[in-house]
């Protein structure tokens, strides 16, 4: 489990299972998933772990390791540790102390290894028996091996920076700090450079960096959302809307005096979601991709891969909106330019470690934001399905005071027209939700204030228009708006809990 479930839920798990049993259950669950190639990739990617820098590679006991960071466990934990630790970012597992009675246990554990397993044997007999089955042996007097019992990330990072030094954590380090400890140490020990500035972009588009293209897409989405809101608050319908419907705005109002307001409520909610996506992409571009965070590009890519294809919802609704299509045609090449270029070298600044209670509260906030993102994705999927099938939910028809069949008699194009707006909103909501969920899961670090402000701006742009427009048109059914209220409460609480952690002051300069 990641830190954002481990710490917030460990008290509940301990109360139900007992402290020791809950810890072993968590380890065995990670071991069971991590022992399978697909499961190991899922854990590594899901936890936001990436390849460590080359300078942290080295060797231990004459065995090459991809990162000089690992764990030292007793034989009783060896099998689970060997399977669970690699996806978390460990580069080596030491089993110690090992006596002749532990030989069979260690042999079975080492058989499942995907990273080097070394042993500190208590006697020559144990060493001789295990020599064919493990990668090497360590000795208590080895000056290049540092065992840490303190969960301090900075101390471990300082130790691993010494060339040839291998840092091995005791099990209680992960118990105290959480499974993300390896990744946090790796990031703290990663050399960084200053982030590029606006003046470094240049005028030749062929040389523009990925973050600049990503920023242009974010600004374009924001502008498109504000433009859609202006149209909705002004003429509501453009000429191609009127041509498709075969009706004017006054004729729609005469047919049903709630209909125009209903269209406005759908379109303003969609416009707010577009602005929210713009805020998320802008934050990912400037705060993430520009500063070399590899996961930021992946968040941006996955969100776009969901958002752009929703243009083809018109194949089901039958209505092609020219402005929607033009916006996608303009922004998509920029999106491709942003994701096809390789990410810059690390250019982030890490804030020093703060009080542990501050981090624990931030992890609760992180969990709330991740749950909110998952809920928004489910909501977007449901809205898309409804928009592509039945179009209306019961509260919609109650507000309109009519039925779908009656609306079809007003104009045969009216229901497909509304379906386009509704399905498009569902697709945009899914794209925003993926960005919120993954940014919250992968971007939670002390001092990363841009994560806080990006999520706050997206929440304001997405939630506030929805609440305001529903109140303005008197569509205030509690069941209909309950997900919005719940999302506001979850997001607001999560951001308040995380603000001291995310907005802590970062280091004055990048790490050399």
């Amino acid at each position: 489990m990641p830190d954002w479930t481990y710490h917030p839920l460990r008290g509940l798990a301990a109360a139900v299972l007992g402290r020791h049993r809950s810890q072993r259950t968590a380890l065995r669950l990670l071991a069971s998933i991590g022992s399978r190639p697909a499961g190991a990739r899922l854990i590594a990617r899901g936890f936001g772990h990436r390849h460590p820098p080359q300078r942290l590679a080295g060797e231990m006991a004459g065995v090459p390791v991809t990162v000089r960071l690992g764990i030292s466990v007793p034989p009783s934990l060896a099998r689970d540790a060997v399977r669970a630790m690699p996806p978390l970012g460990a580069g080596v597992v030491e089993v110690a102390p090992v006596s002749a009675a532990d030989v069979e246990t260690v042999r079975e554990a080492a058989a499942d290894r995907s990273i080097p397993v070394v042993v500190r044997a208590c006697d020559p007999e144990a060493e001789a028996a295990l020599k064919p089955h493990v990668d090497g042996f360590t000795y208590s007097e080895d000056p290049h091996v540092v065992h840490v019992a303190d969960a301090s990330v900075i101390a471990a990072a300082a130790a691993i920076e010494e060339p040839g030094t291998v840092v091995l954590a005791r099990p209680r380090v992960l118990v105290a700090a959480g499974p993300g400890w390896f990744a946090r140490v790796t990031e703290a020990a990663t050399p960084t450079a200053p982030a590029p500035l606006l003046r470094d972009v240049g005028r030749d588009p062929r040389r523009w960096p990925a973050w600049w293209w990503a920023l242009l897409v974010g600004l374009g989405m924001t502008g498109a959302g504000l433009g859609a809101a202006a149209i909705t608050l002004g003429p509501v319908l453009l000429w191609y809307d009127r041509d498709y419907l075969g009706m004017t705005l006054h004729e729609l109002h005469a047919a049903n005096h709630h209909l125009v307001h209903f269209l406005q409520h759908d379109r303003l909610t969609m416009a707010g979601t577009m602005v929210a996506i713009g805020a998320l992409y802008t934050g990912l571009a400037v705060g993430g991709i520009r500063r070399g965070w590899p996961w930021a590009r992946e968040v941006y890519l996955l969100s776009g891969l969901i958002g752009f294809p929703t243009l083809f919802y018109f194949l089901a609704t039958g209505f092609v909106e020219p402005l929607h299509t033009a916006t996608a045609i303009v922004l998509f090449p920029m999106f491709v330019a942003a994701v096809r270029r390789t990410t810059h070298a690390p250019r982030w600044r890490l804030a020093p470690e703060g009080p542990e209670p501050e981090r624990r509260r931030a992890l609760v906030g992180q969990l709330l934001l991740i749950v909110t993102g998952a809920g928004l994705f489910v909501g977007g999927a449901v809205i898309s399905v409804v928009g592509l099938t039945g179009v209306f939910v019961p509260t919609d028809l109650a507000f309109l005071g009519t039925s779908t069949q009656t609306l079809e008699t007003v104009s045969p194009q009216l229901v497909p027209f509304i379906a386009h707006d509704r399905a498009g909103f569902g697709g945009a909501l899914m794209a925003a939700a993926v960005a919120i969920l993954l940014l919250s899961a992968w971007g939670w670090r002390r001092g990363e204030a841009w994560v806080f402000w990006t999520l706050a701006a997206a929440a304001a742009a997405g939630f506030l228009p929805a609440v305001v427009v529903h109140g303005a048109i008197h569509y205030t059914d509690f069941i209909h708006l309950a997900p919005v209220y719940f999302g506001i409460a979850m997001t607001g609480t999560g951001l308040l809990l995380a603000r001291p952690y995310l907005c802590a002051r970062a280091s004055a300069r990048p790490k050399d």
Side-chain angles (χ1 to χ4, degrees):
M1 54 183 64
D3 285 359
W4 45 265
T5 59
Y6 175 78
H7 285 296
L9 303 180
R10 66 185 296 191
L12 176 62
V16 174
L17 300 175
R19 184 176 64 86
H20 180 71
R21 183 178 295 177
S22 67
Q23 293 168 0
R24 288 305 301 265
T25 300
L27 178 61
R28 285 171 180 166
L29 176 62
L30 285 172
S32 177
I33 299 173
S35 62
R36 297 165 173 81
R41 288 193 296 270
L42 176 64
I43 293 175
R45 289 288 178 178
F47 287 12
H49 299 164
R50 300 298 181 267
H51 297 295
Q54 184 62 35
R55 66 171 288 180
L56 297 186
E59 64 176 41
M60 179 177 184
V63 180
V65 293
T66 57
V67 58
R68 291 175 284 107
L69 182 66
I71 189 168
S72 179
V73 298
S76 61
L77 296 179
R79 187 168 186 272
D80 289 334
V82 167
R83 296 190 298 167
M85 294 301 109
L88 299 182
V92 61
V93 174
E94 179 192 58
V95 185
V98 176
S99 65
D102 301 315
V103 167
E104 186 61 24
T105 299
V106 175
R107 186 187 65 80
E108 291 178 358
D112 296 328
R113 68 187 182 276
S114 59
I115 58 175
V117 172
V118 298
V119 167
R120 179 154 50 86
C122 295
D123 50 66
E125 291 78 10
E127 182 173 333
L130 286 172
K131 189 172 184 179
H133 305 289
V134 299
D135 296 289
F137 296 89
T138 58
Y139 304 94
S140 57
E141 65 274 9
D142 190 343
H144 296 294
V145 177
V146 176
H147 292 85
V148 297
D150 184 1
S152 170
V153 169
I154 299 301
I160 202 175
E161 285 178 355
E162 293 295 328
T165 299
V166 178
V167 175
L168 299 178
R170 302 292 187 187
R172 59 178 173 269
V173 170
L174 266 67
V175 171
W181 185 81
F182 292 118
R184 292 166 61 206
V185 173
T186 300
E187 287 179 359
T190 298
T192 64
L197 303 175
L198 180 60
R199 63 173 178 265
D200 300 323
V201 172
R203 296 183 179 181
D204 186 355
R206 294 172 298 177
R207 299 181 180 275
W208 284 353
W211 72 268
W212 182 251
W213 288 111
L215 174 60
L216 292 178
V217 176
L219 296 177
M221 284 296 297
T222 301
L226 294 175
I231 292 170
T232 304
L233 294 173
V236 184
L237 300 180
L238 295 179
W239 73 94
Y240 55 77
D241 297 323
R242 296 190 294 269
D243 291 344
Y244 178 79
L245 290 171
M247 301 179 69
T248 66
L249 195 66
H250 296 295
E251 289 171 334
L252 285 175
H253 185 73
N256 184 309
H257 64 281
H258 290 302
L259 191 53
V260 173
H261 286 161
F262 186 81
L263 292 175
Q264 287 180 308
H265 120 278
D266 260 0
R267 292 192 159 192
L268 277 176
T269 306
M270 171 67 169
T273 304
M274 292 172 65
V275 175
I277 294 174
L280 290 163
Y281 286 5
T282 299
L284 286 167
V286 177
I289 299 174
R290 181 179 69 94
R291 296 167 62 226
W293 288 114
W295 53 263
R297 175 188 174 276
E298 295 175 16
V299 175
Y300 181 87
L301 172 63
L302 292 173
S303 174
L305 288 179
I306 289 175
F308 279 105
T310 60
L311 172 68
F312 295 99
Y313 279 173
F314 75 85
L315 296 174
T317 64
F319 175 56
V320 180
E321 186 180 51
L323 278 183
H324 183 182
T325 304
T327 301
I329 290 173
V330 170
L331 295 182
F332 185 70
M334 300 181 188
F335 171 79
V336 173
V339 298
R340 75 176 179 86
R341 299 169 186 262
T342 56
T343 306
H344 291 294
R347 298 175 183 271
W348 58 73
R349 293 188 302 165
L350 291 178
E353 289 186 272
E356 185 63 15
E358 176 188 85
R359 187 174 83 93
R360 299 290 178 88
R361 288 191 295 270
L363 289 172
V364 176
Q366 183 180 17
L367 177 60
L368 294 179
L369 265 296
I370 290 171
V371 170
T372 300
L376 289 173
F377 184 84
V378 172
V382 170
I383 292 170
S384 290
V385 171
V386 170
L388 296 173
T389 54
V391 182
F392 302 101
V393 295
T395 55
D396 294 334
L397 297 175
F399 171 75
L400 291 168
T402 188
S403 65
T404 305
Q405 293 74 21
T406 302
L407 292 174
E408 289 173 341
T409 63
V410 173
S411 169
Q413 308 299 332
L414 180 57
V415 173
F417 182 79
I418 296 172
H420 166 270
D421 289 351
R422 180 141 297 187
F425 166 58
L429 186 59
M430 287 193 293
V434 167
I436 292 169
L437 190 157
L438 296 180
L439 174 58
S440 300
W442 295 343
W444 228 249
R445 288 164 181 80
R446 192 167 192 268
E448 296 294 291
W450 70 271
V451 174
F452 174 86
W453 292 113
T454 297
L455 291 171
F463 287 129
L464 290 182
V467 173
V468 171
V469 71
H470 279 85
I473 68 173
H474 305 294
Y475 186 178
T476 55
D477 182 89
F478 180 78
I479 299 300
H480 182 75
L481 289 173
V484 178
Y485 298 145
F486 183 72
I488 292 173
M490 292 279 284
T491 304
T493 304
L495 290 176
L496 285 174
L497 288 172
R499 188 179 186 279
Y501 178 78
L502 293 176
C503 296
R505 188 178 298 275
S507 301
R509 63 178 60 183
K511 181 182 177 62
D512 294 329

